Amino acid sequence: MTVLEQPGSHRPPPSRAWRPRTDPAPLLPDAEPYRLLGTPAAEALDPAFLRLLHGHLVRGRRYNTQATALTRQGRLAVYPSSSGQEACQVAAALALEERDWLFPSYRDTLAAIARGLDPVQALTLLRGDWHTGYDPREHRVAPLCTPLATQLPHAVGLAHAARLKGDDVVALAMVGDGGTSEGDFHEALNFAAVWKSPVVFLVQNNGFAISVPLSKQTAAPSLAHKGVGYGIPARLVDGNDAPAVHEVLTEAVRRARAGGGPTLVEALTYRVEAHTNADDSTRYRSDAEVTAWRAHDPVELLERELTRRGLLTEKDIAVEREAAERMAADLRERMNEDPPLDPMELFDHVYARRTDQLTRQAEQLRAELAAAEEGTDR
């Protein structure tokens, strides 16, 4: 006997309230990735802002290569390069107002730096010197998040709390395509949609979750289509077109600030380097694939647009690259310094109020350090 065959199981036909609460059509993402560079719409873009974007991209590319070199020199334990994804990183930071919050993943160091974070502080966690490496409140950049997608519910919580307090704040949360397979992604989008939280989700779809291709993660038409299931409008954008990513994110931030709720943005991009220095990407993708994406390089795309319009000369490009080299030299010099480390800092900034267990552990370590120092003095 089925449930419907049981006594008293008769149900009237579904009422109108049973039907979809909203029209799904406005929630659907673009049929093709949104682009600006190389289109007539690019002519209307602000030249000064395009040059600003270009400078950030050039410095970001050099930062990636320098940080990768530091791992080979033993100065970093690991570095997840974002080479090829610089447009997403820079656009995300520049789309926010000073009062807003950025919630990055471990690969989003460039977004944090574009937000104003010290380049050395952005690498401190990856060097293993300190807890986070910076004060999140100073630039409103949450800690670089290594566990996949756990920063997404945090972003929703902050955005929801800000709205309850009446603060004019938007949170922008960044995640990779692999992170969309985590339960935290579902929970964050569901809560954000129900609460209409002022949060923007940026998915950087670089094709692989380490070695797992997107086709092994989802059968959805696109990751942007996932927004429809939560009642969230979605956008699909060329993630290597810096002005396009910035425009889409700026509109999403403006909508969130005006009370329109969350937006899901999928940026199609590609990491041309390995997942980290511990990864051998030749085992799961071909050189031809990487070469094809290098032809769609975000730095070169913007440089071509600017030079075509006469807004950037070879001399201008050289100036930006020289500035990037100075930044890299400063980063290299400061990262080659061994910072003074206090083992007792292990217990700082863990809890606002230290637990009894941590207090006992701190006392034990303090005694061990004192004994070691006494032994050295003898």
PDB file of all heavy atoms in Angstrom, residues 1-39:
ATOM      1  N   MET A   1       0.845  -1.194   0.000  1.00  0.00           N
ATOM      2  CA  MET A   1       0.000   0.000   0.000  1.00  0.00           C
ATOM      3  C   MET A   1       0.883   1.248   0.000  1.00  0.00           C
ATOM      4  O   MET A   1       1.801   1.357   0.818  1.00  0.00           O
ATOM      5  CB  MET A   1      -0.907   0.007   1.239  1.00  0.00           C
ATOM      6  CG  MET A   1      -1.808   1.232   1.330  1.00  0.00           C
ATOM      7  SD  MET A   1      -2.816   1.232   2.843  1.00  0.00           S
ATOM      8  CE  MET A   1      -3.906  -0.161   2.527  1.00  0.00           C
ATOM      9  N   THR A   2       0.590   2.140  -0.901  1.00  0.00           N
ATOM     10  CA  THR A   2       1.351   3.383  -0.955  1.00  0.00           C
ATOM     11  C   THR A   2       0.740   4.409  -0.018  1.00  0.00           C
ATOM     12  O   THR A   2      -0.354   4.222   0.513  1.00  0.00           O
ATOM     13  CB  THR A   2       1.360   3.956  -2.386  1.00  0.00           C
ATOM     14  OG1 THR A   2       0.038   4.385  -2.703  1.00  0.00           O
ATOM     15  CG2 THR A   2       1.836   2.929  -3.396  1.00  0.00           C
ATOM     16  N   VAL A   3       1.468   5.480   0.146  1.00  0.00           N
ATOM     17  CA  VAL A   3       0.963   6.556   1.010  1.00  0.00           C
ATOM     18  C   VAL A   3      -0.357   7.089   0.493  1.00  0.00           C
ATOM     19  O   VAL A   3      -1.292   7.363   1.253  1.00  0.00           O
ATOM     20  CB  VAL A   3       2.011   7.689   1.096  1.00  0.00           C
ATOM     21  CG1 VAL A   3       1.430   8.880   1.839  1.00  0.00           C
ATOM     22  CG2 VAL A   3       3.269   7.200   1.791  1.00  0.00           C
ATOM     23  N   LEU A   4      -0.474   7.222  -0.818  1.00  0.00           N
ATOM     24  CA  LEU A   4      -1.693   7.777  -1.395  1.00  0.00           C
ATOM     25  C   LEU A   4      -2.878   6.825  -1.277  1.00  0.00           C
ATOM     26  O   LEU A   4      -4.027   7.238  -1.401  1.00  0.00           O
ATOM     27  CB  LEU A   4      -1.459   8.126  -2.866  1.00  0.00           C
ATOM     28  CG  LEU A   4      -0.500   9.287  -3.125  1.00  0.00           C
ATOM     29  CD1 LEU A   4      -0.334   9.503  -4.624  1.00  0.00           C
ATOM     30  CD2 LEU A   4      -1.018  10.574  -2.475  1.00  0.00           C
ATOM     31  N   GLU A   5      -2.592   5.510  -1.082  1.00  0.00           N
ATOM     32  CA  GLU A   5      -3.673   4.536  -0.974  1.00  0.00           C
ATOM     33  C   GLU A   5      -4.178   4.377   0.455  1.00  0.00           C
ATOM     34  O   GLU A   5      -5.176   3.712   0.693  1.00  0.00           O
ATOM     35  CB  GLU A   5      -3.189   3.171  -1.490  1.00  0.00           C
ATOM     36  CG  GLU A   5      -2.930   3.158  -2.990  1.00  0.00           C
ATOM     37  CD  GLU A   5      -2.237   1.885  -3.441  1.00  0.00           C
ATOM     38  OE1 GLU A   5      -1.576   1.230  -2.593  1.00  0.00           O
ATOM     39  OE2 GLU A   5      -2.356   1.540  -4.627  1.00  0.00           O
ATOM     40  N   GLN A   6      -3.481   4.984   1.422  1.00  0.00           N
ATOM     41  CA  GLN A   6      -3.887   4.858   2.805  1.00  0.00           C
ATOM     42  C   GLN A   6      -5.173   5.648   3.068  1.00  0.00           C
ATOM     43  O   GLN A   6      -5.442   6.647   2.395  1.00  0.00           O
ATOM     44  CB  GLN A   6      -2.774   5.359   3.734  1.00  0.00           C
ATOM     45  CG  GLN A   6      -1.529   4.483   3.710  1.00  0.00           C
ATOM     46  CD  GLN A   6      -0.430   5.045   4.579  1.00  0.00           C
ATOM     47  OE1 GLN A   6      -0.613   6.080   5.201  1.00  0.00           O
ATOM     48  NE2 GLN A   6       0.696   4.361   4.624  1.00  0.00           N
ATOM     49  N   PRO A   7      -5.976   5.191   4.058  1.00  0.00           N
ATOM     50  CA  PRO A   7      -7.223   5.920   4.392  1.00  0.00           C
ATOM     51  C   PRO A   7      -6.925   7.369   4.762  1.00  0.00           C
ATOM     52  O   PRO A   7      -5.953   7.662   5.469  1.00  0.00           O
ATOM     53  CB  PRO A   7      -7.758   5.143   5.599  1.00  0.00           C
ATOM     54  CG  PRO A   7      -7.160   3.775   5.476  1.00  0.00           C
ATOM     55  CD  PRO A   7      -5.808   3.967   4.867  1.00  0.00           C
ATOM     56  N   GLY A   8      -7.759   8.248   4.265  1.00  0.00           N
ATOM     57  CA  GLY A   8      -7.613   9.667   4.587  1.00  0.00           C
ATOM     58  C   GLY A   8      -6.484  10.354   3.842  1.00  0.00           C
ATOM     59  O   GLY A   8      -6.095  11.469   4.197  1.00  0.00           O
ATOM     60  N   SER A   9      -5.965   9.675   2.814  1.00  0.00           N
ATOM     61  CA  SER A   9      -4.811  10.247   2.116  1.00  0.00           C
ATOM     62  C   SER A   9      -5.218  11.146   0.950  1.00  0.00           C
ATOM     63  O   SER A   9      -4.360  11.670   0.254  1.00  0.00           O
ATOM     64  CB  SER A   9      -3.918   9.130   1.586  1.00  0.00           C
ATOM     65  OG  SER A   9      -4.625   8.345   0.634  1.00  0.00           O
ATOM     66  N   HIS A  10      -6.537  11.299   0.721  1.00  0.00           N
ATOM     67  CA  HIS A  10      -6.972  12.119  -0.413  1.00  0.00           C
ATOM     68  C   HIS A  10      -6.484  13.551  -0.276  1.00  0.00           C
ATOM     69  O   HIS A  10      -6.535  14.143   0.797  1.00  0.00           O
ATOM     70  CB  HIS A  10      -8.498  12.109  -0.520  1.00  0.00           C
ATOM     71  CG  HIS A  10      -9.009  13.082  -1.545  1.00  0.00           C
ATOM     72  ND1 HIS A  10      -8.856  12.881  -2.897  1.00  0.00           N
ATOM     73  CD2 HIS A  10      -9.657  14.277  -1.395  1.00  0.00           C
ATOM     74  CE1 HIS A  10      -9.394  13.905  -3.542  1.00  0.00           C
ATOM     75  NE2 HIS A  10      -9.888  14.766  -2.655  1.00  0.00           N
ATOM     76  N   ARG A  11      -5.952  14.079  -1.353  1.00  0.00           N
ATOM     77  CA  ARG A  11      -5.493  15.466  -1.371  1.00  0.00           C
ATOM     78  C   ARG A  11      -6.142  16.182  -2.550  1.00  0.00           C
ATOM     79  O   ARG A  11      -6.275  15.614  -3.639  1.00  0.00           O
ATOM     80  CB  ARG A  11      -3.968  15.545  -1.530  1.00  0.00           C
ATOM     81  CG  ARG A  11      -3.195  14.945  -0.356  1.00  0.00           C
ATOM     82  CD  ARG A  11      -3.319  15.817   0.882  1.00  0.00           C
ATOM     83  NE  ARG A  11      -2.508  15.295   1.973  1.00  0.00           N
ATOM     84  CZ  ARG A  11      -2.896  14.401   2.841  1.00  0.00           C
ATOM     85  NH1 ARG A  11      -4.128  13.899   2.734  1.00  0.00           N
ATOM     86  NH2 ARG A  11      -2.103  13.988   3.798  1.00  0.00           N
ATOM     87  N   PRO A  12      -6.550  17.406  -2.371  1.00  0.00           N
ATOM     88  CA  PRO A  12      -7.118  18.165  -3.491  1.00  0.00           C
ATOM     89  C   PRO A  12      -6.014  18.482  -4.499  1.00  0.00           C
ATOM     90  O   PRO A  12      -4.820  18.374  -4.187  1.00  0.00           O
ATOM     91  CB  PRO A  12      -7.633  19.436  -2.821  1.00  0.00           C
ATOM     92  CG  PRO A  12      -6.788  19.575  -1.592  1.00  0.00           C
ATOM     93  CD  PRO A  12      -6.525  18.182  -1.127  1.00  0.00           C
ATOM     94  N   PRO A  13      -6.365  18.845  -5.692  1.00  0.00           N
ATOM     95  CA  PRO A  13      -5.355  19.222  -6.687  1.00  0.00           C
ATOM     96  C   PRO A  13      -4.481  20.355  -6.153  1.00  0.00           C
ATOM     97  O   PRO A  13      -4.939  21.176  -5.350  1.00  0.00           O
ATOM     98  CB  PRO A  13      -6.192  19.690  -7.884  1.00  0.00           C
ATOM     99  CG  PRO A  13      -7.525  19.041  -7.685  1.00  0.00           C
ATOM    100  CD  PRO A  13      -7.732  18.969  -6.196  1.00  0.00           C
ATOM    101  N   PRO A  14      -3.218  20.392  -6.567  1.00  0.00           N
ATOM    102  CA  PRO A  14      -2.315  21.452  -6.085  1.00  0.00           C
ATOM    103  C   PRO A  14      -2.891  22.838  -6.335  1.00  0.00           C
ATOM    104  O   PRO A  14      -3.417  23.128  -7.414  1.00  0.00           O
ATOM    105  CB  PRO A  14      -1.047  21.231  -6.910  1.00  0.00           C
ATOM    106  CG  PRO A  14      -1.108  19.789  -7.309  1.00  0.00           C
ATOM    107  CD  PRO A  14      -2.556  19.481  -7.493  1.00  0.00           C
ATOM    108  N   SER A  15      -2.831  23.667  -5.324  1.00  0.00           N
ATOM    109  CA  SER A  15      -3.331  25.025  -5.472  1.00  0.00           C
ATOM    110  C   SER A  15      -2.297  25.888  -6.186  1.00  0.00           C
ATOM    111  O   SER A  15      -1.177  25.463  -6.438  1.00  0.00           O
ATOM    112  CB  SER A  15      -3.623  25.621  -4.088  1.00  0.00           C
ATOM    113  OG  SER A  15      -2.397  25.761  -3.374  1.00  0.00           O
ATOM    114  N   ARG A  16      -2.662  27.122  -6.447  1.00  0.00           N
ATOM    115  CA  ARG A  16      -1.735  28.035  -7.120  1.00  0.00           C
ATOM    116  C   ARG A  16      -0.492  28.279  -6.269  1.00  0.00           C
ATOM    117  O   ARG A  16       0.603  28.487  -6.787  1.00  0.00           O
ATOM    118  CB  ARG A  16      -2.446  29.362  -7.422  1.00  0.00           C
ATOM    119  CG  ARG A  16      -1.611  30.315  -8.244  1.00  0.00           C
ATOM    120  CD  ARG A  16      -2.415  31.525  -8.705  1.00  0.00           C
ATOM    121  NE  ARG A  16      -1.625  32.365  -9.577  1.00  0.00           N
ATOM    122  CZ  ARG A  16      -1.422  32.145 -10.861  1.00  0.00           C
ATOM    123  NH1 ARG A  16      -1.958  31.087 -11.441  1.00  0.00           N
ATOM    124  NH2 ARG A  16      -0.679  32.970 -11.600  1.00  0.00           N
ATOM    125  N   ALA A  17      -0.654  28.208  -4.951  1.00  0.00           N
ATOM    126  CA  ALA A  17       0.486  28.431  -4.070  1.00  0.00           C
ATOM    127  C   ALA A  17       1.549  27.344  -4.238  1.00  0.00           C
ATOM    128  O   ALA A  17       2.701  27.537  -3.883  1.00  0.00           O
ATOM    129  CB  ALA A  17       0.023  28.490  -2.623  1.00  0.00           C
ATOM    130  N   TRP A  18       1.151  26.211  -4.788  1.00  0.00           N
ATOM    131  CA  TRP A  18       2.098  25.117  -4.996  1.00  0.00           C
ATOM    132  C   TRP A  18       3.032  25.405  -6.158  1.00  0.00           C
ATOM    133  O   TRP A  18       4.130  24.868  -6.241  1.00  0.00           O
ATOM    134  CB  TRP A  18       1.322  23.823  -5.248  1.00  0.00           C
ATOM    135  CG  TRP A  18       2.204  22.645  -5.551  1.00  0.00           C
ATOM    136  CD1 TRP A  18       2.789  21.817  -4.654  1.00  0.00           C
ATOM    137  CD2 TRP A  18       2.577  22.172  -6.842  1.00  0.00           C
ATOM    138  NE1 TRP A  18       3.514  20.845  -5.296  1.00  0.00           N
ATOM    139  CE2 TRP A  18       3.401  21.050  -6.656  1.00  0.00           C
ATOM    140  CE3 TRP A  18       2.291  22.584  -8.147  1.00  0.00           C
ATOM    141  CZ2 TRP A  18       3.937  20.327  -7.711  1.00  0.00           C
ATOM    142  CZ3 TRP A  18       2.837  21.880  -9.206  1.00  0.00           C
ATOM    143  CH2 TRP A  18       3.656  20.756  -8.981  1.00  0.00           C
ATOM    144  N   ARG A  19       2.600  26.224  -7.062  1.00  0.00           N
ATOM    145  CA  ARG A  19       3.385  26.516  -8.263  1.00  0.00           C
ATOM    146  C   ARG A  19       4.609  27.355  -7.903  1.00  0.00           C
ATOM    147  O   ARG A  19       4.720  27.873  -6.791  1.00  0.00           O
ATOM    148  CB  ARG A  19       2.510  27.244  -9.284  1.00  0.00           C
ATOM    149  CG  ARG A  19       1.341  26.383  -9.752  1.00  0.00           C
ATOM    150  CD  ARG A  19       0.436  27.146 -10.691  1.00  0.00           C
ATOM    151  NE  ARG A  19      -0.715  26.342 -11.071  1.00  0.00           N
ATOM    152  CZ  ARG A  19      -1.707  26.768 -11.834  1.00  0.00           C
ATOM    153  NH1 ARG A  19      -1.687  28.028 -12.281  1.00  0.00           N
ATOM    154  NH2 ARG A  19      -2.711  25.979 -12.131  1.00  0.00           N
ATOM    155  N   PRO A  20       5.557  27.478  -8.837  1.00  0.00           N
ATOM    156  CA  PRO A  20       6.786  28.251  -8.553  1.00  0.00           C
ATOM    157  C   PRO A  20       6.467  29.626  -7.986  1.00  0.00           C
ATOM    158  O   PRO A  20       5.602  30.340  -8.486  1.00  0.00           O
ATOM    159  CB  PRO A  20       7.457  28.343  -9.927  1.00  0.00           C
ATOM    160  CG  PRO A  20       6.987  27.124 -10.649  1.00  0.00           C
ATOM    161  CD  PRO A  20       5.569  26.916 -10.198  1.00  0.00           C
ATOM    162  N   ARG A  21       7.186  30.001  -6.934  1.00  0.00           N
ATOM    163  CA  ARG A  21       6.928  31.275  -6.266  1.00  0.00           C
ATOM    164  C   ARG A  21       7.376  32.463  -7.122  1.00  0.00           C
ATOM    165  O   ARG A  21       6.853  33.556  -7.008  1.00  0.00           O
ATOM    166  CB  ARG A  21       7.658  31.313  -4.923  1.00  0.00           C
ATOM    167  CG  ARG A  21       7.149  30.295  -3.920  1.00  0.00           C
ATOM    168  CD  ARG A  21       7.794  30.518  -2.559  1.00  0.00           C
ATOM    169  NE  ARG A  21       7.300  29.572  -1.580  1.00  0.00           N
ATOM    170  CZ  ARG A  21       7.873  28.400  -1.335  1.00  0.00           C
ATOM    171  NH1 ARG A  21       8.953  28.052  -2.006  1.00  0.00           N
ATOM    172  NH2 ARG A  21       7.367  27.582  -0.433  1.00  0.00           N
ATOM    173  N   THR A  22       8.398  32.235  -7.927  1.00  0.00           N
ATOM    174  CA  THR A  22       8.902  33.311  -8.790  1.00  0.00           C
ATOM    175  C   THR A  22       9.117  32.771 -10.191  1.00  0.00           C
ATOM    176  O   THR A  22       9.310  31.566 -10.398  1.00  0.00           O
ATOM    177  CB  THR A  22      10.244  33.860  -8.259  1.00  0.00           C
ATOM    178  OG1 THR A  22      11.188  32.782  -8.184  1.00  0.00           O
ATOM    179  CG2 THR A  22      10.080  34.483  -6.878  1.00  0.00           C
ATOM    180  N   ASP A  23       9.128  33.660 -11.129  1.00  0.00           N
ATOM    181  CA  ASP A  23       9.412  33.292 -12.509  1.00  0.00           C
ATOM    182  C   ASP A  23      10.903  33.008 -12.626  1.00  0.00           C
ATOM    183  O   ASP A  23      11.735  33.887 -12.344  1.00  0.00           O
ATOM    184  CB  ASP A  23       9.008  34.446 -13.432  1.00  0.00           C
ATOM    185  CG  ASP A  23       9.302  34.134 -14.893  1.00  0.00           C
ATOM    186  OD1 ASP A  23       9.692  32.993 -15.202  1.00  0.00           O
ATOM    187  OD2 ASP A  23       9.153  35.054 -15.722  1.00  0.00           O
ATOM    188  N   PRO A  24      11.295  31.802 -13.027  1.00  0.00           N
ATOM    189  CA  PRO A  24      12.720  31.484 -13.071  1.00  0.00           C
ATOM    190  C   PRO A  24      13.487  32.202 -14.185  1.00  0.00           C
ATOM    191  O   PRO A  24      14.717  32.300 -14.113  1.00  0.00           O
ATOM    192  CB  PRO A  24      12.744  29.964 -13.279  1.00  0.00           C
ATOM    193  CG  PRO A  24      11.444  29.655 -13.940  1.00  0.00           C
ATOM    194  CD  PRO A  24      10.460  30.639 -13.383  1.00  0.00           C
ATOM    195  N   ALA A  25      12.777  32.696 -15.195  1.00  0.00           N
ATOM    196  CA  ALA A  25      13.458  33.290 -16.348  1.00  0.00           C
ATOM    197  C   ALA A  25      14.426  34.414 -15.977  1.00  0.00           C
ATOM    198  O   ALA A  25      15.563  34.431 -16.456  1.00  0.00           O
ATOM    199  CB  ALA A  25      12.427  33.778 -17.364  1.00  0.00           C
ATOM    200  N   PRO A  26      14.050  35.373 -15.118  1.00  0.00           N
ATOM    201  CA  PRO A  26      14.990  36.455 -14.776  1.00  0.00           C
ATOM    202  C   PRO A  26      16.204  35.984 -13.978  1.00  0.00           C
ATOM    203  O   PRO A  26      17.188  36.726 -13.867  1.00  0.00           O
ATOM    204  CB  PRO A  26      14.141  37.412 -13.929  1.00  0.00           C
ATOM    205  CG  PRO A  26      12.722  37.082 -14.257  1.00  0.00           C
ATOM    206  CD  PRO A  26      12.722  35.616 -14.527  1.00  0.00           C
ATOM    207  N   LEU A  27      16.138  34.782 -13.431  1.00  0.00           N
ATOM    208  CA  LEU A  27      17.250  34.270 -12.644  1.00  0.00           C
ATOM    209  C   LEU A  27      18.309  33.606 -13.500  1.00  0.00           C
ATOM    210  O   LEU A  27      19.446  33.406 -13.055  1.00  0.00           O
ATOM    211  CB  LEU A  27      16.746  33.261 -11.601  1.00  0.00           C
ATOM    212  CG  LEU A  27      15.642  33.718 -10.657  1.00  0.00           C
ATOM    213  CD1 LEU A  27      15.248  32.577  -9.729  1.00  0.00           C
ATOM    214  CD2 LEU A  27      16.089  34.926  -9.841  1.00  0.00           C
ATOM    215  N   LEU A  28      17.949  33.233 -14.720  1.00  0.00           N
ATOM    216  CA  LEU A  28      18.860  32.474 -15.576  1.00  0.00           C
ATOM    217  C   LEU A  28      20.067  33.304 -15.990  1.00  0.00           C
ATOM    218  O   LEU A  28      19.966  34.507 -16.243  1.00  0.00           O
ATOM    219  CB  LEU A  28      18.123  31.989 -16.826  1.00  0.00           C
ATOM    220  CG  LEU A  28      17.062  30.905 -16.587  1.00  0.00           C
ATOM    221  CD1 LEU A  28      16.254  30.683 -17.865  1.00  0.00           C
ATOM    222  CD2 LEU A  28      17.723  29.610 -16.136  1.00  0.00           C
ATOM    223  N   PRO A  29      21.249  32.667 -16.061  1.00  0.00           N
ATOM    224  CA  PRO A  29      22.462  33.399 -16.457  1.00  0.00           C
ATOM    225  C   PRO A  29      22.475  33.697 -17.949  1.00  0.00           C
ATOM    226  O   PRO A  29      21.617  33.232 -18.712  1.00  0.00           O
ATOM    227  CB  PRO A  29      23.583  32.423 -16.091  1.00  0.00           C
ATOM    228  CG  PRO A  29      22.942  31.068 -16.188  1.00  0.00           C
ATOM    229  CD  PRO A  29      21.525  31.260 -15.728  1.00  0.00           C
ATOM    230  N   ASP A  30      23.459  34.478 -18.355  1.00  0.00           N
ATOM    231  CA  ASP A  30      23.636  34.829 -19.760  1.00  0.00           C
ATOM    232  C   ASP A  30      23.804  33.569 -20.614  1.00  0.00           C
ATOM    233  O   ASP A  30      24.406  32.582 -20.174  1.00  0.00           O
ATOM    234  CB  ASP A  30      24.873  35.717 -19.921  1.00  0.00           C
ATOM    235  CG  ASP A  30      24.919  36.838 -18.901  1.00  0.00           C
ATOM    236  OD1 ASP A  30      25.095  36.546 -17.695  1.00  0.00           O
ATOM    237  OD2 ASP A  30      24.765  38.000 -19.295  1.00  0.00           O
ATOM    238  N   ALA A  31      23.282  33.607 -21.816  1.00  0.00           N
ATOM    239  CA  ALA A  31      23.430  32.462 -22.724  1.00  0.00           C
ATOM    240  C   ALA A  31      24.884  32.267 -23.119  1.00  0.00           C
ATOM    241  O   ALA A  31      25.350  31.141 -23.319  1.00  0.00           O
ATOM    242  CB  ALA A  31      22.559  32.663 -23.963  1.00  0.00           C
ATOM    243  N   GLU A  32      25.625  33.358 -23.233  1.00  0.00           N
ATOM    244  CA  GLU A  32      27.052  33.339 -23.530  1.00  0.00           C
ATOM    245  C   GLU A  32      27.772  34.179 -22.477  1.00  0.00           C
ATOM    246  O   GLU A  32      27.186  35.112 -21.919  1.00  0.00           O
ATOM    247  CB  GLU A  32      27.332  33.911 -24.919  1.00  0.00           C
ATOM    248  CG  GLU A  32      26.773  33.073 -26.066  1.00  0.00           C
ATOM    249  CD  GLU A  32      27.508  31.752 -26.223  1.00  0.00           C
ATOM    250  OE1 GLU A  32      28.709  31.706 -25.842  1.00  0.00           O
ATOM    251  OE2 GLU A  32      26.901  30.783 -26.701  1.00  0.00           O
ATOM    252  N   PRO A  33      29.037  33.859 -22.181  1.00  0.00           N
ATOM    253  CA  PRO A  33      29.771  34.672 -21.200  1.00  0.00           C
ATOM    254  C   PRO A  33      29.796  36.150 -21.612  1.00  0.00           C
ATOM    255  O   PRO A  33      30.093  36.471 -22.766  1.00  0.00           O
ATOM    256  CB  PRO A  33      31.181  34.063 -21.214  1.00  0.00           C
ATOM    257  CG  PRO A  33      30.995  32.677 -21.734  1.00  0.00           C
ATOM    258  CD  PRO A  33      29.858  32.747 -22.701  1.00  0.00           C
ATOM    259  N   TYR A  34      29.474  37.009 -20.683  1.00  0.00           N
ATOM    260  CA  TYR A  34      29.445  38.450 -20.954  1.00  0.00           C
ATOM    261  C   TYR A  34      30.865  38.955 -21.205  1.00  0.00           C
ATOM    262  O   TYR A  34      31.796  38.640 -20.459  1.00  0.00           O
ATOM    263  CB  TYR A  34      28.817  39.174 -19.774  1.00  0.00           C
ATOM    264  CG  TYR A  34      28.726  40.672 -19.946  1.00  0.00           C
ATOM    265  CD1 TYR A  34      27.838  41.233 -20.864  1.00  0.00           C
ATOM    266  CD2 TYR A  34      29.521  41.530 -19.188  1.00  0.00           C
ATOM    267  CE1 TYR A  34      27.746  42.603 -21.028  1.00  0.00           C
ATOM    268  CE2 TYR A  34      29.432  42.898 -19.338  1.00  0.00           C
ATOM    269  CZ  TYR A  34      28.548  43.433 -20.264  1.00  0.00           C
ATOM    270  OH  TYR A  34      28.474  44.791 -20.420  1.00  0.00           O
ATOM    271  N   ARG A  35      31.024  39.751 -22.258  1.00  0.00           N
ATOM    272  CA  ARG A  35      32.331  40.296 -22.617  1.00  0.00           C
ATOM    273  C   ARG A  35      32.205  41.777 -22.942  1.00  0.00           C
ATOM    274  O   ARG A  35      31.160  42.247 -23.390  1.00  0.00           O
ATOM    275  CB  ARG A  35      32.916  39.567 -23.831  1.00  0.00           C
ATOM    276  CG  ARG A  35      33.228  38.097 -23.613  1.00  0.00           C
ATOM    277  CD  ARG A  35      33.894  37.476 -24.842  1.00  0.00           C
ATOM    278  NE  ARG A  35      34.265  36.095 -24.599  1.00  0.00           N
ATOM    279  CZ  ARG A  35      33.484  35.057 -24.847  1.00  0.00           C
ATOM    280  NH1 ARG A  35      32.259  35.256 -25.329  1.00  0.00           N
ATOM    281  NH2 ARG A  35      33.894  33.831 -24.600  1.00  0.00           N
ATOM    282  N   LEU A  36      33.298  42.490 -22.753  1.00  0.00           N
ATOM    283  CA  LEU A  36      33.389  43.889 -23.156  1.00  0.00           C
ATOM    284  C   LEU A  36      34.550  44.131 -24.109  1.00  0.00           C
ATOM    285  O   LEU A  36      34.393  44.792 -25.134  1.00  0.00           O
ATOM    286  CB  LEU A  36      33.537  44.789 -21.921  1.00  0.00           C
ATOM    287  CG  LEU A  36      32.260  45.071 -21.126  1.00  0.00           C
ATOM    288  CD1 LEU A  36      32.587  45.850 -19.859  1.00  0.00           C
ATOM    289  CD2 LEU A  36      31.256  45.851 -21.968  1.00  0.00           C
ATOM    290  N   LEU A  37      35.730  43.590 -23.775  1.00  0.00           N
ATOM    291  CA  LEU A  37      36.908  43.808 -24.608  1.00  0.00           C
ATOM    292  C   LEU A  37      36.695  43.227 -26.008  1.00  0.00           C
ATOM    293  O   LEU A  37      36.231  42.104 -26.165  1.00  0.00           O
ATOM    294  CB  LEU A  37      38.140  43.170 -23.955  1.00  0.00           C
ATOM    295  CG  LEU A  37      38.573  43.775 -22.617  1.00  0.00           C
ATOM    296  CD1 LEU A  37      39.765  43.021 -22.049  1.00  0.00           C
ATOM    297  CD2 LEU A  37      38.902  45.250 -22.762  1.00  0.00           C
ATOM    298  N   GLY A  38      37.019  44.024 -27.007  1.00  0.00           N
ATOM    299  CA  GLY A  38      36.841  43.597 -28.385  1.00  0.00           C
ATOM    300  C   GLY A  38      35.445  43.792 -28.923  1.00  0.00           C
ATOM    301  O   GLY A  38      35.151  43.399 -30.056  1.00  0.00           O
ATOM    302  N   THR A  39      34.560  44.419 -28.138  1.00  0.00           N
ATOM    303  CA  THR A  39      33.196  44.690 -28.580  1.00  0.00           C
ATOM    304  C   THR A  39      33.001  46.203 -28.694  1.00  0.00           C
ATOM    305  O   THR A  39      33.773  46.986 -28.120  1.00  0.00           O
ATOM    306  CB  THR A  39      32.163  44.130 -27.581  1.00  0.00           C
ATOM    307  OG1 THR A  39      32.166  44.935 -26.390  1.00  0.00           O
ATOM    308  CG2 THR A  39      32.491  42.687 -27.226  1.00  0.00           C
TER     309      THR A  39
END
